[in-house]
């Protein structure tokens, strides 16, 4: 017979292991508090500054910072350090209210940064995807006109839109060049007579005026002749368009993996001789897309960047202006992929004799000085087990490079960005940002000063003005104050590292606990995932409401945690900003998503923390994170028990051409099917909620519906929420009543705790 005291002790221990939701399921008020958390907390900090932007003349710099009730834009005189408003926010809000057609709050202007125009009378900024300009007095607010012909993901021209064919004036002012009836022609300025330079253009093989560039000596022109690719259009029905009863059909130019892209043939013209030189393509076969050509300063050669389709080779091609003979000024080959968005090339002195080139050939992204005539390495400028993240400035006269890097400092988070200066010969490496934090710096146009804005998840932004020659501190500009935010209950996420699948590599993540966290209880775990190979995503800087990358931000994770969960975010292998081998895990392997590293991290966390219940792990993510969420349930259903997948690119053959061919290659092969949530839908275990915007222009929403179709055919249970009129960002709204967030929160309460959720229909 068991002693009553022992029985009571055993019962108490058992109760501690039960889901917390069995004690008290969150009521409607708890959901409302969580959903409104961002709005309640976002304006509680003071003096948290965004990265600075300099005026063109270098006399001032400006930034956005937090103030009572919102944000203010401030400018600083670089000489006197006097501060003043960057513009009149009330007038700016008034001008934008008229232009946008809805009220704009002066303390909540819809852009986080701006740049002054050259004359200082206008500012330019982004609202969503559109470029805008306004006068400093708020007058003339309008979208910047874009006269260029659109291209579907950069590879197929929209031929229904006319190209920008404004005559291109030669540097000497003697000629205008343009395209007439698909042919390249010349005119005298003010004249009407056209002189044909080409005769071989046609509607199916036309000269593109938007690629036309004059040589600096006015003797030559390079232009691309284009054979159009396949103009695939995605069609979407908008079921409930605003202001009308009947549905509307939307069409979008949307090339997909494997589609034929525009074929671009560089053609050189000798203007004086009226001679056309078609350039041999042997050194650049099957280009993915050719960026704009650029002439060297002396006019003796012209260069363009080349990425072979499939992204396993990148080159700078230089073409002799007199003969049209091309040569590979530099070549980068990879057994997996050359990451196109991280390529960097700089012609030293603008002549092409030497090229600063970024390469991962030794397993880490580093800078090399290349002989532009032979393509051979002259000097290895940087080296070590760390990553060059960005080149800020190259000073050809001083033969110095200013760059950002991460992973150089032992014992520090390897994702923190620091800034350095180094000579072309690899000597005199100088650190400019000693603070143990993530840095973002802005140099003055003359490179004499820089503003260093740095932070950590537990350190509000600090902005300092420094002297560029030696890094000396000139003045502290702002120092973020989060005391009111902390008083309201905010706690920075906990940083945690554990070994990955190989038992050696550190995997970094953050942990967010409920504000009423009790270490004696057991909490279900939810992972916020984004595992796109193009970057890393765990927040490294302070701003928890959305400034730094990372999918759903810290406050969104806190809102979910407050309903009785521990919420985490992890960067597993297959993501960027570590070694080449670390990122290469994703090559032709997008189903991996770093899950072996993530699961090892979860297990390490659970071994350290008894409250961390890895028998109940959920996962959520959007876009590529949506794909990873579904794949967690398809391929790791023994570990992940429930998932909310937003706007997922569930089958990479259905998604945009650019992102998918970068990681899965070309031609389309079995690796695409291996990662497909459609082909593998029959594997589903656990509980799934898919959410998609009906008008998603980033990921074809039919991808979601094809998964739904496959799940139905496999007799699987799941939930599906289609938001009428919703875009790719569905679920990222921040208002006090966020239907999509509420659906996610309730789904995890039911799926991971077994508790009921409020009857919202009552």
């Amino acid at each position: 017979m068991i002693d009553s005291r022992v029985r009571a002790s055993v019962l108490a221990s058992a109760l501690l292991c039960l889901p917390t939701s069995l004690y008290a399921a969150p009521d409607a008020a708890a959901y409302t508090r969580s959903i409104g958390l961002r709005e309640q907390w976002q304006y509680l900090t003071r003096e948290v500054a965004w990265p600075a932007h300099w005026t063109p003349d270098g006399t001032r710099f400006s930034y956005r910072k937090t103030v009572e009730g919102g944000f203010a834009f401030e400018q600083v005189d670089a000489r006197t350090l006097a501060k003043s408003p960057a513009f009149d926010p009330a007038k700016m809000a008034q001008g934008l209210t008229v232009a946008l057609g809805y009220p704009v709050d002066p303390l909540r202007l819809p852009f986080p940064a701006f740049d002054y125009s050259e004359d200082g009378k206008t500012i330019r900024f982004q609202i969503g995807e559109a470029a805008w300009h306004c006068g400093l007095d708020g007058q003339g607010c309008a979208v910047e006109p874009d006269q260029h012909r659109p291209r579907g993901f950069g590879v197929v021209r929209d031929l229904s839109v006319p190209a920008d064919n404004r005559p291109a004036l030669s540097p000497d002012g003697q000629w205008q060049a343009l395209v007439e009836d698909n042919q390249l022609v010349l005119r005298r300025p003010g004249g009407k007579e056209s002189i044909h330079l080409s005769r071989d253009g046609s509607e199916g093989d036309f000269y593109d005026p938007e690629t036309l560039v004059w040589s600096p000596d006015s003797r030559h022109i390079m232009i691309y002749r284009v054979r159009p690719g396949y103009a695939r259009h995605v069609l979407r029905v908008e079921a409930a368009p605003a202001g009308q009863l009947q549905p509307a059909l939307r069409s979008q130019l949307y090339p997909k993996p494997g589609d034929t892209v525009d074929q671009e043939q560089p053609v050189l013209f000798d203007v004086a001789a009226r001679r056309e030189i078609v350039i041999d393509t042997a050194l650049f076969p099957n280009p993915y897309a050719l960026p704009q050509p650029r002439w060297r300063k002396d006019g003796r050669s012209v260069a363009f960047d080349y990425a072979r389709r499939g992204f396993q080779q990148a080159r700078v091609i230089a073409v002799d202006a007199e003969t049209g003979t091309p040569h590979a000024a530099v070549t980068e080959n990879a057994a997996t992929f050359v990451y196109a968005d991280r390529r960097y090339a700089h012609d030293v002195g603008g002549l092409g004799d030497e090229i600063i080139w970024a390469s991962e050939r030794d397993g880490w992204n580093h800078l090399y000085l290349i002989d532009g005539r032979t393509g051979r390495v002259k000097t290895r400028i940087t080296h070590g087990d760390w990553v060059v993240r960005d080149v800020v400035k190259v000073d050809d006269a001083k033969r110095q490079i200013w760059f950002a890097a991460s992973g150089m400092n032992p014992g520090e988070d390897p994702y923190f960005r620091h800034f350095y200066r180094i000579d072309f010969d690899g000597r005199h490496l100088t650190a400019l940002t000693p603070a143990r934090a993530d840095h973002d710096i802005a140099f003055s146009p003359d490179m004499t000063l820089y503003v260093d804005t740095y932070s950590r998840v537990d350190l509000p932004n600090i902005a300092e003005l420094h002297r560029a020659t030696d890094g000396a501190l000139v003045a502290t500009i702002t120092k973020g104050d989060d005391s009111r935010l902390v008083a309201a209950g905010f706690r920075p996420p906990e940083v945690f590292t554990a070994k990955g699948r190989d038992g050696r590599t550190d995997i970094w993540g953050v942990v967010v606990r409920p504000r009423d966290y009790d270490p004696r209880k057991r909490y279900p775990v939810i992972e916020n995932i984004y595992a796109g190979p193009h970057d890393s995503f765990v927040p490294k800087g302070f701003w928890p409401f959305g400034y730094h990358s990372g999918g759903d931000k810290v406050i969104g994770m806190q809102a979910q945690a407050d309903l009785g969960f521990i919420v985490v975010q992890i960067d597993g292998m297959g993501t960027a900003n570590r070694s080449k081998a670390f990122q290469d895990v994703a090559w032709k392997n997008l189903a991996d998503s770093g899950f072996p590293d993530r699961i090892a991290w979860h297990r390490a966390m659970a071994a350290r923390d008894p409250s961390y219940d890895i028998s109940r792990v959920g996962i959520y993510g959007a876009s590529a994170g949506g794909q990873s969420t579904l794949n967690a349930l398809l391929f790791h259903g023994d570990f992940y028990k429930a998932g909310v997948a937003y706007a997922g690119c569930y089958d990479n053959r259905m998604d945009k051409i650019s992102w998918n061919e970068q990681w899965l290659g070309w031609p389309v092969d079995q690796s695409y099917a291996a990662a497909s949530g459609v082909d593998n839908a029959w594997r589903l275990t656990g509980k799934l909620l898919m959410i998609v915007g009906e008008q998603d222009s980033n990921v074809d929403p039919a991808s979601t519906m094809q998964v739904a179709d496959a799940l139905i055919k496999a007799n699987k249970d799941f939930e599906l929420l289609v938001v009428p009129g919703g875009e790719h960002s569905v679920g990222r709204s921040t208002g006090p009543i966020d239907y999509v967030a509420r659906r996610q929160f309730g789904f995890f309460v039911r799926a991971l705790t077994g508790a009921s959720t409020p009857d919202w229909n009552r």
Side-chain angles (χ1 to χ4, degrees):
M1 185 173 182
I2 300 177
D3 186 301
S4 60
R5 289 172 298 177
V6 174
R7 182 184 299 112
S9 175
V10 169
L11 179 59
S13 298
L15 286 173
L16 288 176
C17 294
L18 288 175
T20 55
S21 57
L22 294 182
Y23 298 125
D27 59 14
Y31 283 87
T32 300
R33 282 193 300 273
S34 282
I35 291 170
L37 192 61
R38 187 186 305 267
E39 186 69 19
Q40 297 163 27
W41 280 7
Q42 186 166 214
Y43 307 108
L44 296 182
T45 65
R46 299 292 177 269
E47 296 293 311
V48 172
W50 270 244
H53 289 242
W54 288 83
T55 56
D57 62 8
T59 60
R60 292 166 292 141
F61 57 88
S62 63
Y63 46 83
R64 183 172 83 156
K65 69 174 186 178
T66 57
V67 296
E68 182 75 35
F71 307 94
F73 287 92
E74 191 168 67
Q75 66 178 353
V76 178
D77 186 298
R79 184 179 59 84
T80 67
L81 302 181
K83 296 180 179 180
S84 60
F87 49 75
D88 186 328
K91 291 182 178 179
M92 192 64 64
Q94 185 177 17
L96 285 172
T97 294
V98 172
L100 291 167
Y102 57 80
V104 175
D105 188 330
L107 289 177
R108 303 184 188 183
L109 296 172
F111 53 90
F114 72 88
D115 287 301
Y116 287 104
S117 60
E118 287 291 335
D119 62 10
K121 297 179 180 179
T122 304
I123 63 170
R124 292 185 171 89
F125 49 87
Q126 291 282 130
I127 300 179
E129 299 296 318
W132 282 71
H133 65 260
C134 281
L136 291 179
D137 58 359
Q139 297 298 306
C141 293
V143 175
E144 294 271 3
D146 184 0
Q147 296 178 300
H148 292 92
R149 171 182 276 158
R151 300 189 193 187
F153 301 112
V155 296
V156 176
R157 290 160 173 81
D158 185 349
L159 300 182
S160 68
V161 178
D164 181 2
N165 195 24
R166 286 172 292 180
L169 186 66
S170 61
D172 64 8
Q174 297 300 305
W175 293 102
Q176 290 179 333
L178 67 158
V179 172
E180 289 182 346
D181 298 326
N182 301 307
Q183 308 293 353
L184 179 63
V185 302
L186 292 176
R187 287 181 189 164
R188 292 292 185 183
K192 296 183 179 180
E193 181 184 356
S194 297
I195 301 172
H196 276 256
L197 288 181
S198 76
R199 297 284 182 183
D200 55 354
S202 65
E203 188 173 337
D205 200 10
F206 60 87
Y207 286 93
D208 182 357
E210 295 185 356
T211 66
L212 186 159
V213 286
W214 279 94
S215 65
D217 59 10
S218 302
R219 295 178 56 193
H220 297 90
I221 291 172
M222 177 172 272
I223 188 171
Y224 295 159
R225 196 174 65 228
V226 180
R227 185 173 299 165
Y230 172 49
R232 178 192 296 275
H233 280 77
V234 164
L235 301 177
R236 298 186 299 270
V237 173
E238 187 172 4
Q244 70 181 62
L245 176 64
Q246 298 301 328
L249 183 65
R250 310 299 184 198
S251 178
Q252 179 186 357
L253 181 62
Y254 194 105
K256 295 186 177 184
D259 285 353
T260 302
V261 301
D262 287 354
Q263 298 298 305
E264 295 161 318
Q265 168 68 62
V267 183
L268 186 65
F269 289 90
D270 184 324
V271 174
R274 309 289 191 264
R275 184 166 62 101
E276 174 182 338
I277 307 171
V278 176
I279 300 161
D280 185 0
T281 63
L283 290 173
F284 50 99
N286 196 19
Y288 175 74
L290 293 181
Q292 196 79 348
R294 55 190 183 275
W295 282 92
R296 268 63 185 270
K297 280 172 55 175
D298 59 7
R300 296 173 60 186
S301 63
V302 58
F304 55 89
D305 296 325
Y306 159 70
R308 190 176 67 203
R309 193 163 182 190
F311 295 99
Q312 291 185 291
Q313 184 181 77
R315 280 178 165 154
V316 173
I317 302 295
V319 179
D320 184 275
E322 292 299 326
T323 66
T325 303
H327 78 276
V330 58
T331 297
E332 188 75 17
N333 294 310
T336 53
F337 59 84
V338 178
Y339 184 13
D341 289 348
R342 293 289 172 90
R343 283 186 297 155
Y344 179 81
H346 170 78
D347 283 346
V348 177
L351 297 174
D353 294 329
E354 294 178 311
I355 296 172
I356 305 294
W357 179 253
S359 168
E360 292 184 290
R361 62 188 64 186
D362 78 340
W364 302 84
N365 195 45
H366 281 297
L367 300 176
Y368 296 79
L369 183 64
I370 305 292
D371 185 322
R373 303 303 174 189
T374 67
R376 296 191 181 96
V377 174
K378 293 181 66 175
T379 306
R380 182 173 175 171
I381 301 170
T382 63
H383 60 88
D385 293 352
W386 48 271
V387 179
V388 172
R389 296 281 291 270
D390 189 30
V391 176
V392 179
K393 170 76 173 179
V394 177
D395 189 324
D396 294 332
K398 295 181 179 178
R399 295 182 72 81
Q400 291 179 329
I401 305 169
W402 310 72
F403 67 97
S406 57
M408 197 184 300
N409 301 332
E412 189 178 273
D413 187 323
Y415 294 95
F416 282 167
R417 293 169 299 163
H418 287 274
F419 287 77
Y420 304 87
R421 184 179 64 242
I422 197 169
D423 293 345
F424 281 15
D425 61 7
R427 300 169 60 204
H428 303 125
L429 177 67
T430 303
L432 301 172
T433 52
R436 293 172 65 89
D438 186 60
H439 294 258
D440 194 323
I441 70 176
F443 284 97
S444 61
D446 63 3
M447 298 297 291
T448 60
L449 297 167
Y450 62 89
V451 180
D452 178 13
T453 306
Y454 61 91
S455 68
R456 297 187 304 267
V457 292
D458 62 345
L459 176 68
N461 300 22
I462 297 172
E464 299 172 342
L465 182 64
H466 289 258
R467 200 165 53 226
T469 51
D470 56 4
L473 177 66
V474 175
T476 298
I477 304 301
T478 65
K479 190 171 184 179
D481 179 359
D482 67 344
S483 57
R484 291 178 63 187
L485 183 62
V486 170
F490 171 74
R491 296 294 179 270
E494 169 191 339
V495 177
F496 181 67
T497 61
K499 300 301 178 184
R501 69 186 75 185
D502 58 6
R504 301 186 308 275
T505 304
D506 284 336
I507 303 298
W508 289 71
V510 294
V511 183
V512 176
R513 302 176 189 276
R515 282 180 283 166
D516 62 356
Y517 172 73
D518 184 343
R520 298 170 300 169
K521 295 181 179 179
R522 297 270 285 172
Y523 291 89
V525 176
I526 300 175
E527 181 180 344
N528 167 25
I529 189 169
Y530 195 94
H534 56 280
D535 210 341
S536 53
F537 306 97
V538 173
K540 299 300 172 184
F542 170 74
W543 188 245
F545 304 98
Y547 169 68
H548 289 278
S549 63
D552 186 17
K553 310 308 177 197
V554 171
I555 294 302
M557 296 166 68
Q558 186 68 67
Q560 178 77 78
D562 282 351
L563 295 177
F565 304 93
I566 295 175
V567 185
V568 304
Q569 188 171 13
I570 310 160
D571 278 324
M573 292 185 187
T575 52
N577 301 321
R578 299 284 288 276
S579 68
K580 173 68 171 164
F582 191 99
Q583 189 182 23
D584 272 352
V585 168
W587 173 243
K588 292 189 176 293
N589 187 28
L590 287 183
D592 182 277
S593 293
F595 283 123
D597 312 299
R598 298 169 186 278
I599 292 170
W601 188 98
H602 282 293
R603 295 192 189 284
M605 187 67 196
R608 193 190 77 161
D609 181 359
S611 73
Y612 197 90
D613 186 357
I614 58 169
S615 70
R616 294 178 293 158
V617 179
I619 187 169
Y620 71 98
S623 195
Q627 179 182 24
S628 295
T629 294
L630 177 60
N631 285 344
L633 303 181
L634 301 183
F635 301 111
H636 301 278
D638 56 334
F639 187 83
Y640 293 96
K641 302 302 190 295
V644 178
Y646 288 92
C649 43
Y650 303 114
D651 191 309
N652 302 100
R653 296 164 294 192
M654 286 285 292
D655 193 24
K656 68 194 76 66
I657 186 173
S658 51
W659 194 85
N660 295 277
E661 287 195 5
Q662 169 70 82
W663 314 117
L664 294 173
W666 177 91
V668 173
D669 60 14
Q670 181 57 32
S671 67
Y672 284 79
S676 168
V678 178
D679 291 2
N680 291 285
W682 61 273
R683 300 177 185 272
L684 178 68
T685 61
K687 296 179 172 62
L688 169 67
L689 166 61
M690 292 191 296
I691 301 175
V692 65
E694 175 198 57
Q695 294 303 308
D696 190 336
S697 61
N698 186 304
V699 174
D700 185 350
S703 179
T704 297
M705 304 311 293
Q706 290 191 5
V707 172
D709 179 60
L711 290 171
I712 291 168
K713 290 175 178 175
N715 199 31
K716 298 290 184 178
D717 287 340
F718 65 99
E719 296 180 39
L720 173 64
L721 172 60
V722 180
V723 179
E727 247 287 359
H728 189 60
S729 59
V730 64
R732 298 182 197 167
S733 58
T734 58
I737 302 174
D738 188 330
Y739 179 82
V740 174
R742 193 260 289 171
R743 288 290 300 269
Q744 173 186 313
F745 293 174
F747 174 85
F748 280 128
V749 167
R750 294 189 302 273
L752 296 179
T753 73
S756 61
T757 52
D759 182 356
W760 296 97
N761 291 349
R762 294 182 60 188

